[in-house]
Amino acid sequence: MLKGSANPDWRALHALPFMLALLAWLVIGGLGWWLLRHWRQHVEMRLRADYFQRTRREALGEFTAGIIHEINQPLTAINTWLHSSELLLKQGKYENLPQALNAMNLQTERLAALLQRFRDIVSERPVAMTAVNPEAIWRRVTVLLQQELDDGDVTLRQQWQHGQAKVLSDPQWLEQVFHNLLQNAIHMQQGRPDAWVNMASEPIPHGIKIIISDNGPGFSAEGLAQACMPFYSSRANSMGLGMTLVESLMLRMNGQLRLANRAAGGAEITLIFQLAE
């Protein structure tokens, strides 16, 4: 006859085998956790590296496109004035040559300043904001774009009402903002019989408001929403970086950019600058 019972005496059992088994499981679990963590870190580092390279390529592409866009403007103007000078020489109108040579010299200076500014951006040199007279910068831009104004038969109106007040800005950046906006206004009115651009300024508390309006088609609903997006343009053969650069420079100068349409038609762009102390 066999008899059995189910009342083990656990205290009589040796704890060493259980401790060894628990230790083995802990070692295996710890090793697995370390391997999993190492694998996750490796995947995360690889994803970060891929993201950095992709972002760097995109930024480099946008930056390169911006350089091409900005440098192409003075080069085109220099080429136009050069052909005009050749025509003046053939016609014997030597008295008009100084104007053409002066215009080419201004465009060359602007090109050199653009290249220097791009070097500063690449080397991350800080740019100090200074007190700048916006009227003086605007008049320089009108000289740079006088040929395009004449070719497009665009009337330029100016109403400066801020006195001798100066804004806190960078001269080169402010020139780029004015240049891009005036050039866009000229190009958008190509072929229109009554083309004009109006520049008006007025003092506001702690700042100056400058409004640039034109008699063009104005902004579409899509244009108002995406005009400052990189590579967006409503014009053919345009890189779509002009307004993007304008918005970026205005933000860097602690200014504001507002886009709207005039009630009577045409675009209206408002720039708000801080007064220089």
Side-chain angles (χ1 to χ4, degrees), residues 103-254:
M104 284 189 285
N105 182 57
L106 288 176
Q107 293 289 355
T108 304
E109 291 177 355
R110 182 169 184 267
L111 180 59
L114 286 171
L115 291 175
Q116 182 59 50
R117 183 47 47 87
F118 283 126
R119 292 192 195 100
D120 294 341
I121 294 174
V122 171
S123 59
E124 297 183 352
R125 295 180 183 175
V127 177
M129 299 290 110
T130 58
V132 179
N133 183 354
E135 184 176 355
I137 301 296
W138 173 260
R139 295 193 184 282
R140 173 180 168 85
V141 170
T142 59
V143 173
L144 292 171
L145 293 175
Q146 188 60 53
Q147 186 69 35
E148 295 189 37
L149 288 168
D150 294 339
D151 292 342
D153 195 19
V154 179
T155 302
L156 186 60
R157 308 168 183 170
Q158 305 177 70
Q159 300 171 353
W160 297 97
Q161 301 176 7
H162 65 273
Q164 300 299 319
K166 296 183 178 181
V167 300
L168 190 63
S169 130
D170 174 81
Q172 184 63 33
W173 286 355
L174 184 57
E175 181 179 309
Q176 285 182 271
V177 168
F178 285 161
H179 191 282
N180 285 350
L181 294 180
L182 179 56
Q183 191 173 57
N184 284 346
I186 295 172
H187 290 174
M188 293 304 294
Q189 299 182 85
Q190 288 182 347
R192 286 182 173 262
D194 185 21
W196 53 261
V197 178
N198 186 70
M199 158 69 80
S201 74
E202 61 181 80
I204 59 175
H206 311 293
I208 295 175
K209 179 166 67 174
I210 296 177
I211 301 175
I212 303 175
S213 55
D214 61 55
N215 197 31
F219 294 101
S220 64
E222 181 185 22
L224 283 174
Q226 303 185 33
C228 295
M229 294 292 292
F231 307 111
Y232 172 83
S233 178
S234 59
R235 292 188 293 111
N237 302 322
S238 174
M239 298 185 68
L241 290 170
M243 291 302 299
T244 303
L245 181 64
V246 168
E247 182 185 45
S248 176
L249 294 180
M250 287 300 297
L251 290 175
R252 291 185 182 185
M253 293 186 291
N254 297 319

Side-chain angles (χ1 to χ4, degrees), residues 86-97:
E86 292 176 349
L87 184 61
L88 290 173
L89 286 173
K90 291 179 180 178
Q91 295 176 349
K93 298 180 180 179
Y94 305 111
E95 66 278 3
N96 295 330
L97 281 177

